[in-house]
Amino acid sequence: MLALVVATGTVSVIAPAAGAAPISKQQKAAQLQDEIDATDLQISALAERLLSAETRRDIAQAEILDAEARIQQAQAEVARIRALVEENLASLYRRSVAGSTGSDFDFDNTNELLRRGQYSKAQASNDDQLLQQLAVAQEDLAIRREDSQRARSAAATETDEIASVKATFEATRATQQALLDKVKGEIAAAIAAERARRAAEARAKFSRPAVNAPNVGPPNGSASQAIAFARGVIGSPYSTNPREGPSYDCSGLTKSAWRAAGVSIPNNSTAQYAGLPHISLDAVQPGDLLFWGPGGSSHVALYVGGGMIIDASGSSNAVMERSIWGSPMGAARVV
């Protein structure tokens, strides 16, 4: 049996064992298409991982800025309280050298002694309060510095993660291109026939009347607007930076489509699957989202009816409308 071995950036073909029956062009085409679909999913999953890491890094960088602002506030408060304490000490020193000695006190005047004692006690109490405030302010400053260091560490971790994912992404794209380079001549015709067969199979499967989705309800009434947006960007390039169009990754496309319909959904495919009500694959209706990979982590597409989806394809490097492909793990509904 012929097998394609996909390593980082390389593709090799293992010939059938001696004596094994030769495999047909159709079988070769099916195997090659499976490999292309697998790398497409891997690219999409890496793009989602990259998006998550960039989001976490952005959050960490915002926390750094917030912590730095709070550090400045805490430093100003520490300086203000220290100035008050130092002024009290200076005032006490000035009084001590201005001639107010013990001989000036009228120890026989009980009222005067009482007044001076009350003043001394009040001053001591005031200084105690200031020192307590100073301790609190210094503790707050230490906390803000820890917050800043923690945020900086998180940002550095996510920056390393982003670099790692980008390197893996590029290697996978090279692997994918090597696979696509094999699609030529007779094998290209066989793959076209295999794709047509799979597309017809998917359309037949998903064109049956949808069953009811219990406890979920019908799709959002703005589904047609989301679909219209997605159709309007067909042909836009695939991108791992889906913040805004005109380029999209898979979850960037679904988020943008529903945003155009006035509905906000989470940023990445995992969060979209986790945050929306789940429905069975035999209950999908136009506007629903289909997911691939564990917990929807690998890919997401917008279902448009008749077994067709619009998604951002890594293999085609573009937004496209096509039949449901591969093996979706589940679906969710925007309500």
Side-chain angles (χ1 to χ4, degrees), residues 125-139:
S125 175
N126 183 56
D127 286 347
D128 285 345
Q129 290 177 5
L130 285 176
L131 291 173
Q132 288 173 4
Q133 290 175 26
L134 180 59
V136 170
Q138 289 174 325
E139 182 178 353

Side-chain angles (χ1 to χ4, degrees), residues 56-68 151 155:
R56 291 191 299 268
R57 182 195 58 188
D58 291 347
I59 291 172
Q61 288 175 335
E63 289 175 348
I64 290 171
L65 294 176
D66 180 67
E68 292 296 332

Side-chain angles (χ1 to χ4, degrees), residues 220-303:
N220 187 295
S222 299
S224 59
Q225 293 174 263
I227 292 171
F229 175 90
R231 283 205 169 108
V233 298
I234 286 175
S236 296
Y238 183 88
S239 173
T240 58
N241 183 18
R243 295 291 194 268
E244 297 292 339
S247 61
Y248 303 90
D249 74 350
C250 64
S251 60
L253 174 66
T254 53
K255 180 177 177 62
S256 296
W258 273 105
R259 182 174 58 198
V263 182
S264 177
I265 62 175
N267 285 331
N268 60 64
S269 62
T270 301
Q272 288 175 6
Y273 185 71
L276 296 171
H278 298 171
I279 56 175
S280 63
L281 287 170
D282 60 358
V284 293
Q285 296 185 40
D288 291 338
L289 304 183
L290 271 60
F291 296 87
W292 286 252
S297 59
S298 294
H299 191 63
V300 59
L302 182 69
Y303 184 64

Side-chain angles (χ1 to χ4, degrees), residues 94-266:
R94 287 194 297 270
R95 289 197 303 271
S96 69
V97 299
S100 296
T101 64
S103 61
D104 296 324
F105 287 91
D106 183 357
F107 289 98
D108 293 327
N109 187 327
T110 304
N111 290 333
E112 182 178 352
L113 287 175
L114 182 59
R115 284 194 304 270
R116 289 178 179 271
Q118 289 174 337
Y119 173 81
S120 177
K121 183 178 180 180
Q123 182 62 46
S125 175
N126 183 56
D127 286 347
D128 285 345
Q129 290 177 5
L130 285 176
L131 291 173
Q132 288 173 4
Q133 290 175 26
L134 180 59
V136 170
Q138 289 174 325
E139 182 178 353
D140 182 59
L141 177 58
I143 291 172
R144 300 310 171 193
R145 284 175 172 155
E146 289 177 2
D147 289 343
S148 176
Q149 183 57 43
R150 184 166 49 250
R152 289 179 186 279
S153 177
T157 297
E158 298 306 335
T159 298
D160 291 342
E161 166 76 354
I162 289 166
S164 173
V165 173
K166 283 183 175 178
T168 305
F169 183 91
E170 292 305 321
T172 306
R173 287 298 289 265
T175 297
Q176 182 192 58
Q177 189 57 54
L179 288 167
L180 295 175
D181 288 344
K182 296 176 67 65
V183 182
K184 54 189 175 183
E186 291 184 356
I187 197 68
I191 281 187
E194 174 65 16
R195 286 175 177 169
R197 184 193 68 78
R198 295 184 184 190
E201 188 177 82
R203 287 195 297 270
K205 177 180 178 180
F206 286 92
S207 293
R208 293 191 291 266
V211 302
N212 292 329
N215 304 319
V216 175
N220 187 295
S222 299
S224 59
Q225 293 174 263
I227 292 171
F229 175 90
R231 283 205 169 108
V233 298
I234 286 175
S236 296
Y238 183 88
S239 173
T240 58
N241 183 18
R243 295 291 194 268
E244 297 292 339
S247 61
Y248 303 90
D249 74 350
C250 64
S251 60
L253 174 66
T254 53
K255 180 177 177 62
S256 296
W258 273 105
R259 182 174 58 198
V263 182
S264 177
I265 62 175

